[in-house]
Amino acid sequence: MRNDLDRIRDALRFIPVGGHDERVRVAFMLKSELGEAGRDLWNEWRDSRGDDEAASVWKSASETGLLKIGTLFHEAKASGWRDDGIYRVATREEIAERKRIVEARAAREEAEIARERADTVAKATAILKASTEAKADHPYLTRKGVSPVSTLREIEAGAAATILGYAPKSDSDLLTGRLLVVPVKQVNGISTLELIDGDKRKAALAGRGSKAGGYWATERLPDGNGNGLTLLIGEGVATMLSASAATAYPGIAALSSGNLSAVAKAMRECYPAAVLVILADLVKTTGEPDRHAIEAARSVGGKLAIPDFGSDRDRAMTDFNDMAVAFGAKAVASTIANANEPASVKHQPSNDSDGWPEPQPLAVKVEPELYPFDALPDTIRLAVEEVQAFTKAPIALVASSALAALSLAIQAHADAKRAEKLTGPVGLFLLTIADSGERKSTCDGFFTAAIREYEAQQGEAAKPDIRDHKADLDAWSAKRAGLIEKIRQNSKADKPTGELEANLRRLEHDKPESPRVPKLLRGDETPENLAWVLAREWPSGGVLSSEAGVVFGAHGMGKDSIMRNLALLNILWDGGTLSIGRRTSESFTVRGARLTVALQVQEMTLRSFFDRSGGLARGTGFLARFMVAWPESTQGFRLFTEPPASWPALAAFNRRIAAILDQPTPIDDEGVLSPPLLSLSPDAKVAWIAFHDAIERELANGGELYDVRDVASKSADNAARLAALFQIFEQGTGAVSLEVFEGASRIAAWHLNEARRFFGELALPAEVANAARLDRWLIEYCRRERTRIVPRREVQRCGPNGLRDKVALEGALQELVEAGRVRVVRDGRNRNVEVNPILTEGDTI
């Protein structure tokens, strides 16, 4: 077994040397574990032998710093290291290549963040333009006992949603009614907005980095260097309105405690001569001033004002707005006037922050993106919004149900033409990774109502033909039985049978064909039986299942038959031809069939399927054909809502589905579909080629999509399929327009990002993947329960599937402990998991 030095040396080979800051970080990690004995390893890693910088850097590294050896192991694993004891020699070229990949990814990430920020600014500007002055009777302002100022606006929630393309939410709760609009500025102007409704629910606009260092001011800030100016800087809007009204000083809200230092430094840079007073909030549990406020005041040479509620403070009272309500504006003004330098403030770190390190990332992971709700065509978007408001299911799940119904209704009526010789079906394979109980069956039921009604009508209309067929078949069977009996008797009596055999052969060609009755919705069929019904009964169908474990865990997906069935489903997605030979029953051929698949599967079931398939699920391209969604659960937040009296948007959706189904199906006497081709318009084709090529460039080694190149290679095809579906649903005819394709491509790109998230985590070592799943569950639990302490027995009882096993849970917890994300502490005979407060720290408004 290798020793610890070998393990660390092996891990170091996967850490790019980088610049000065990276060398310092690694020095801290090594020194914390090995002390002075780690210097040789560090020099070996950075290819240095005692130069002046190395000596000073190593000397500055502390053995008791926050960066520990666990961080090094996590970063090495994120770069591909496997802690399996196998020594790998990394060449200098390999190390240089890893560094290049890291830098290239960072550049792409920076460009994407810049694009998101620009989009956020555009939407924020549009909302401000559509908003009106905030009125004194706004519910939030009246609840807080404050008056509006000129820098606050308001807008109706519906109008904001129309501009944004999605309904703003706080966690899983929709913002409703009149929304207070709080413009957030960074150095270069407005960067985003905070929206607040009357129940204190709040939401910032989407866009990474748009809020960092941003602030809102109670009034327009003056020019100059700040000579004679006093600025108040605090966390929330209500706090700053109360403080500014009490003192007549301009108030600046950082909108979160962690943002205080950044805003204070920005104000000091703009106003070097100003007096800066930082208004601290109190830690609810201890009554001590928040450490972020103290740090902010010290960082800019400012003063610190602390609200005073006396010795019998109600724990709910934490800020200057609470103080204004309890004791009046004069008490607030007096307390701020007596603010002191933070050095003179006696402060003991609270239990919320004492000893906690900066949490380290578990791995390089793909962040979830907001579902591009506004990319859906209007009729579909409004129906999805209506169903989601009632079911409160994850928005991606609801949208997938709508897309499945769209695909199932249209797939027999059109094929998509991407370019010359590039044509194919429009049917979609959709996969939602979620636990049972997310209400997929309910959502499917809403969007397939017209399909079920169509099936019922067709079944009723076909009853006379079915009865006639039964009579014809009975007569044919009787004739066949008679001929066989005569042949048997003649053969037994040594009489000639040639004419009888010829009659039997002719009769076999005259066997009555059963009438083809449209039946689109299929149950959890085995793949082979699904192929049979598509070949013999109706050539267009769909499997919509909220319990896809029946599919992924079924006998039809057993080890012996999995390769055959994956290939069969792939051919059905492609609309190809497949002959299936049977020994004990009739062989058949599937030609020109069209298939939609929309499944919900639990994460552990899918992982088990991957294990059983031995990589075939990826290797055969089976899962690459699926548009994957991995939404956050809404369970626990779906408080009862009375169903609406009417469903106008859903009714419009189902009317359009019914109209499409009523069109004649292009099917020949052999039961083979021959749908007409739907082309891309010239502009849409140019956009499709750009979309295709942008993805293709990222499939190369080191590219952003290299690890999911199987999925990514199908993304342009899926974008074209979606575009064709949207065009037919909304317009009925005509080439796919540029606008339609752009919406479809955004949705396809979102699903590709979801696939990157899931498959990227799937490729992690088991202990890191388990830790990531547990980390998500713990953070979600703490936010929901308004706590950061979780009993270990609660984790084992209710935590993620697969982590209720003691050994797996202990391994995952150890990973989180090493990353500084949790602690495991004893409470008598029990053990609790404490979550690093930085991970659950919320904004204060």
Side-chain angles (χ1 to χ4, degrees):
M1 180 177 290
R2 62 181 176 170
N3 59 35
D4 287 343
L5 285 177
D6 287 338
R7 183 178 181 230
I8 295 170
R9 180 180 285 109
D10 194 20
L12 276 170
R13 296 174 187 277
F14 288 79
I15 304 293
V17 175
H20 174 80
D21 290 345
E22 183 62 24
R23 296 195 291 272
V24 171
R25 292 178 73 254
V26 173
F28 270 80
M29 298 174 199
L30 293 177
K31 203 168 188 180
S32 73
E33 181 72 10
L34 303 173
E36 289 299 323
R39 181 166 182 176
D40 288 342
L41 269 183
W42 183 67
N43 281 331
E44 177 185 325
W45 167 72
R46 67 188 301 275
D47 194 21
S48 168
R49 294 295 183 269
D51 57 58
D52 292 340
E53 187 213 19
S56 62
V57 167
W58 183 261
K59 184 177 180 180
S60 69
S62 168
E63 294 185 31
T64 59
L66 298 181
L67 291 169
K68 307 294 184 184
I69 199 67
T71 302
L72 185 145
F73 290 146
H74 277 291
E75 293 184 1
K77 289 175 183 176
S79 296
W81 178 59
R82 296 292 180 262
D83 191 10
D84 54 12
I86 299 175
Y87 182 79
R88 300 171 180 83
V89 177
T91 66
R92 188 171 297 179
E93 290 76 14
E94 287 173 332
I95 293 172
E97 176 63 9
R98 288 174 192 148
K99 180 180 179 182
R100 185 195 67 77
I101 290 171
V102 169
E103 291 173 348
R105 285 178 176 170
R108 286 194 297 270
E109 179 78 1
E110 186 176 342
E112 177 63 17
I113 290 174
R115 185 195 64 76
E116 289 183 14
R117 289 179 180 174
D119 184 57
T120 301
V121 170
K123 289 181 177 178
T125 303
I127 287 180
L128 280 176
K129 185 176 180 180
S131 64
T132 59
E133 290 184 4
K135 298 179 177 59
D137 65 347
H138 188 281
Y140 176 78
L141 299 177
T142 57
R143 289 181 70 154
K144 291 292 188 177
V146 292
S147 299
V149 292
S150 61
T151 55
L152 288 177
R153 310 282 290 177
E154 67 174 76
I155 192 171
E156 288 293 333
T162 299
I163 294 171
L164 294 175
Y166 63 87
K169 290 184 178 181
S170 174
D171 293 326
S172 61
D173 296 328
L174 289 172
L175 273 61
T176 59
R178 293 160 59 190
L179 305 184
L180 198 65
V181 179
V182 183
V184 180
K185 293 186 177 181
Q186 292 175 333
V187 176
N188 296 324
I190 186 169
S191 61
T192 186
L193 302 175
E194 284 277 3
L195 304 174
I196 317 172
D197 72 5
D199 293 321
K200 300 191 293 184
R201 291 184 291 252
K202 64 183 185 301
L205 305 192
R208 287 174 289 176
S210 299
K211 193 175 173 185
Y215 64 90
W216 167 78
T218 57
E219 60 189 77
R220 182 171 178 174
L221 299 179
D223 296 327
N225 68 352
N227 188 30
L229 176 67
T230 297
L231 291 178
L232 309 180
I233 304 173
E235 291 185 42
V237 170
T239 291
M240 301 321 300
L241 286 172
S242 295
S244 182
T247 62
Y249 296 142
I252 297 169
L255 304 173
S256 74
S257 61
N259 205 30
L260 280 169
S261 287
V263 172
K265 290 174 183 177
M267 290 301 108
R268 174 57 75 210
E269 185 173 343
C270 288
Y271 302 109
V275 175
L276 303 185
V277 183
I278 310 301
L279 309 188
D281 281 12
L282 303 183
V283 177
K284 185 180 292 186
T285 54
T286 66
E288 295 287 343
D290 185 274
R291 63 184 173 89
H292 294 97
I294 297 172
E295 292 165 1
R298 286 175 175 160
S299 70
V300 295
K303 297 181 179 181
L304 184 71
I306 304 170
D308 185 1
F309 297 96
S311 59
D312 57 348
R313 177 185 72 94
D314 183 328
R315 282 173 50 132
M317 294 183 173
T318 59
D319 58 34
F320 277 98
N321 175 251
D322 296 328
M323 187 177 176
V325 172
F327 304 110
K330 288 185 178 179
V332 169
S334 176
T335 301
I336 293 174
N338 291 320
N340 295 305
E341 298 289 332
S344 65
V345 176
K346 183 179 179 181
H347 170 66
Q348 296 295 327
S350 74
N351 291 334
D352 280 357
S353 59
D354 186 22
W356 280 104
E358 188 73 21
Q360 300 301 312
L362 294 172
V364 176
K365 65 178 183 177
V366 180
E367 294 295 333
E369 297 176 350
L370 288 174
Y371 187 84
F373 194 57
D374 58 318
L376 292 169
D378 289 345
T379 307
I380 303 171
R381 177 176 55 80
L382 292 172
V384 168
E385 186 175 42
E386 199 170 73
V387 170
Q388 198 277 335
F390 174 64
T391 63
K392 300 180 175 63
I395 189 68
L397 184 151
V398 182
S400 291
S401 289
L403 295 181
L406 207 68
S407 170
L408 186 53
I410 295 173
Q411 65 184 4
H413 296 276
D415 280 352
K417 180 180 180 182
R418 309 186 293 282
E420 290 301 321
K421 307 300 183 182
L422 287 179
T423 63
V426 297
L428 304 176
F429 279 20
L430 300 150
L431 182 65
T432 302
I433 304 165
D435 288 338
S436 295
E438 292 291 358
R439 299 179 175 168
K440 181 182 186 299
S441 292
T442 302
C443 295
D444 286 347
F446 281 122
F447 291 108
T448 59
I451 296 174
R452 286 182 276 111
E453 184 176 350
Y454 170 76
E455 287 183 335
Q457 291 172 350
Q458 293 296 312
E460 186 66 27
K463 283 182 178 179
D465 291 338
I466 293 173
R467 286 192 290 266
D468 289 346
H469 169 70
K470 184 178 183 305
D472 292 342
L473 185 62
D474 287 346
W476 178 87
S477 297
K479 291 177 185 178
R480 183 175 184 275
L483 282 172
I484 291 174
E485 179 60 23
K486 286 181 180 180
I487 292 172
R488 187 185 66 78
Q489 290 175 358
N490 282 10
S491 180
K492 187 175 180 181
D494 289 330
K495 293 181 179 180
T497 61
E499 185 177 351
L500 292 172
E501 290 175 15
N503 290 338
L504 180 60
R505 282 192 292 271
R506 284 193 294 272
L507 186 65
E508 288 292 346
H509 288 289
D510 294 334
K511 182 179 179 179
E513 291 287 340
S514 60
R516 296 185 183 274
V517 183
K519 180 171 173 55
L520 304 181
L521 290 163
R522 297 290 175 177
D524 292 316
E525 312 270 2
T526 64
E528 188 170 299
N529 192 57
L530 182 61
W532 167 262
V533 299
L534 290 172
R536 294 299 194 192
E537 296 181 8
W538 190 254
S540 176
V543 178
L544 280 59
S545 174
S546 62
E547 295 294 339
V550 178
V551 176
F552 287 104
H555 173 72
M557 284 298 185
K559 185 175 182 180
D560 295 336
S561 57
I562 196 166
M563 182 71 179
R564 180 179 71 254
N565 286 322
L566 293 182
L568 189 153
L569 289 168
N570 286 350
I571 290 172
L572 291 176
W573 184 81
D574 290 326
T577 300
L578 178 68
S579 295
I580 297 178
R582 291 173 164 178
R583 292 183 179 179
T584 58
S585 60
E586 182 183 357
S587 299
F588 63 95
T589 299
V590 186
R591 284 196 310 273
R594 298 294 182 264
L595 178 65
T596 293
V597 177
L599 307 176
Q600 177 180 316
V601 62
Q602 293 186 39
E603 183 180 336
M604 291 309 298
T605 300
L606 190 54
R607 288 180 181 276
S608 175
F609 173 69
F610 268 91
D611 293 340
R612 285 186 293 110
S613 74
L616 289 174
R618 294 289 295 274
T620 62
F622 171 60
L623 283 173
R625 288 162 165 78
F626 279 91
M627 296 171 62
V628 175
W630 193 18
E632 183 178 347
S633 174
T634 58
Q635 295 188 51
F637 301 94
R638 305 172 305 185
L639 301 183
F640 178 77
T641 302
E642 290 286 353
S646 63
W647 300 75
L650 182 61
F653 177 92
N654 278 312
R655 282 196 301 272
R656 180 60 188 140
I657 292 290
I660 292 168
L661 292 172
D662 283 341
Q663 297 174 7
T665 304
I667 182 174
D668 64 19
D669 293 338
E670 299 295 322
V672 177
L673 285 169
S674 53
L677 288 176
L678 186 69
S679 300
L680 300 171
S681 69
D683 287 346
K685 184 177 178 181
V686 169
W688 180 83
I689 293 172
F691 182 79
H692 173 279
D693 291 351
I695 290 173
E696 183 66 26
R697 282 190 287 269
E698 296 298 334
L699 303 185
N701 190 359
E704 190 173 274
L705 301 175
Y706 176 76
D707 292 335
V708 289
R709 52 194 181 279
D710 55 338
V711 182
S713 65
K714 303 294 183 186
S715 190
D717 192 337
N718 274 322
R721 292 180 182 224
L722 267 176
L725 294 173
F726 289 169
Q727 180 71 28
I728 291 173
F729 185 85
E730 288 289 294
Q731 305 298 330
T733 58
V736 174
S737 70
L738 174 61
E739 181 182 4
V740 166
F741 177 77
E742 286 178 340
S745 64
R746 287 180 58 201
I747 293 173
W750 182 87
H751 282 283
L752 178 56
N753 189 72
E754 290 290 275
R756 288 179 62 211
R757 288 179 60 220
F758 180 74
F759 292 126
E761 185 167 308
L762 192 71
L764 294 174
E767 65 274 14
V768 179
N770 286 341
R773 293 168 55 227
L774 180 59
D775 188 67
R776 287 197 306 271
W777 185 88
L778 288 169
I779 292 172
E780 183 181 331
Y781 179 96
C782 290
R783 287 173 175 167
R784 182 174 68 248
E785 302 297 329
R786 304 293 191 267
T787 183
R788 65 177 184 84
I789 299 175
V790 188
R792 188 189 178 284
R793 63 179 180 274
E794 183 74 3
V795 179
Q796 193 160 4
R797 185 176 69 88
C798 301
N801 290 332
L803 288 181
R804 297 170 192 176
D805 171 75
K806 183 177 180 180
V807 175
L809 178 57
E810 286 298 332
L813 284 172
Q814 183 58 35
E815 290 285 334
L816 297 182
V817 169
E818 289 183 5
R821 301 177 78 84
V822 304
R823 295 171 178 160
V824 181
V825 297
R826 288 202 170 275
D827 181 13
R829 298 177 61 183
N830 300 320
R831 287 201 297 166
N832 294 330
V833 179
E834 291 188 5
V835 177
N836 191 323
I838 297 173
L839 299 174
T840 57
E841 190 174 67
D843 295 348
T844 301
I845 289 204

